Amino acid sequence: MSIRSRAAALAAIAAIALSAACTPTSTSAGTASTDVSTSAAGAPGPTTTAPTTAPTTAAAPATTAPPAPVPAPAGDRGPGCQTDDHDQHKPTATPPGTEFKPLGSLLVPTSRTAGPLLYEGGFWHCFAHTPEGAARAAAVLAAIDTGHDDWERAARAQIYPPAAAKDYADRRLKDPLHAEGVGSVKVVAFSVMTYTPEKSMVMLLVDLPGAPPGIHGSTTANLLWADGDWRLDMSAEGHLPKLGPGTSGTAGFVTW
């Protein structure tokens, strides 16, 4: 082969190789391809596609706060009669703030929060609508039959039902020998045996004059809440509380 023919063949081979190098290739095998674009400055960069769905966050379950307890309303039964009626538990320890005051021949435990708060017409009234108020009412109302300053007015106002109050007052007015007290008596302890906001039964221990030390008389008072105060309920027994046999000590009772 002449030199000219060999040069022409080499030039053809070079042209074919240059053409193959400049032809782009694409691979399709089911995989994603990355497009390369050229920016104005000539720097290639990948094109990223942002996700079309934002991630979702599960909402926190709604919580409902428990309802606040509704306190018992404080007593407001006229001028001077505002008692604390919130504590509806039976007393298990000596109630604070007790001051003994005379009522006829009886010394009764009074309190500035649980009553009795008012002394009018010769008798105490206005008691808290609570177990403690019932206990204090029992101590006061059990004294109606003793040396009361105005037993008749107290009986007609504080004994229920009204027919029983009238019957008691009429019988006592006709009895000139009715006892006007048994000397100095002091209520020393109590036990709220049963209690609802409508009714209560309270047992009392009292110190009697001349009794041996540690020996107490006992009595039970049935009470009814009516017309905004505790009343002595005679519908069950039909008579006023009466002293029972002597009791030794105060075990099982709450002392004043």
Side-chain angles (χ1 to χ4, degrees):
M1 178 180 293
S2 64
I3 294 174
R4 179 175 296 180
S5 297
R6 186 178 298 174
L10 292 175
I13 293 172
I16 293 171
L18 179 62
S19 175
C22 295
T23 302
T25 61
S26 61
T27 303
S28 176
T31 59
S33 62
T34 301
D35 294 333
V36 178
S37 59
T38 304
S39 64
T47 301
T48 304
T49 303
T52 58
T53 304
T56 57
T57 302
T63 57
T64 303
V70 179
D76 187 359
R77 306 184 296 275
C81 186
Q82 292 83 39
T83 57
D84 184 352
D85 299 341
H86 291 82
D87 189 356
Q88 294 295 308
H89 298 90
K90 295 180 182 180
T92 57
T94 301
T98 296
E99 181 180 358
F100 282 91
K101 295 184 179 181
L103 179 63
S105 61
L106 196 69
L107 290 175
V108 296
T110 68
S111 163
R112 294 184 179 182
T113 56
L117 299 185
L118 301 178
Y119 183 77
E120 298 174 334
F123 64 95
W124 286 101
H125 64 102
C126 183
F127 303 95
H129 197 182
T130 63
E132 181 187 343
R136 294 183 184 277
V140 170
L141 302 182
I144 288 178
D145 205 37
T146 63
H148 207 287
D149 294 344
D150 192 350
W151 66 265
E152 183 180 1
R153 186 165 183 253
R156 296 186 187 277
Q158 296 182 297
I159 292 177
Y160 262 56
K166 181 179 183 303
D167 181 64
Y168 166 77
D170 290 346
R171 284 187 290 105
R172 179 166 175 177
L173 287 171
K174 296 175 182 178
D175 182 7
L177 300 179
H178 194 95
E180 291 297 333
V182 292
S184 178
V185 178
K186 182 179 180 179
V187 180
V188 295
F190 70 92
S191 174
V192 180
M193 302 177 70
T194 63
Y195 178 85
T196 69
E198 294 77 32
K199 290 186 176 184
S200 182
M201 182 167 64
V202 181
M203 188 172 182
L204 303 170
L205 296 184
V206 298
D207 275 345
L208 298 173
I215 301 299
H216 311 289
S218 63
T219 189
T220 301
N222 291 288
L223 305 174
L224 174 71
W225 183 266
D227 297 333
D229 213 351
W230 289 111
R231 317 285 175 170
L232 196 60
D233 185 11
M234 289 179 57
S235 61
E237 300 292 336
H239 56 75
L240 292 176
K242 295 182 179 180
L243 285 175
T247 300
S248 177
T250 59
F253 290 80
V254 178
T255 59
W256 296 110

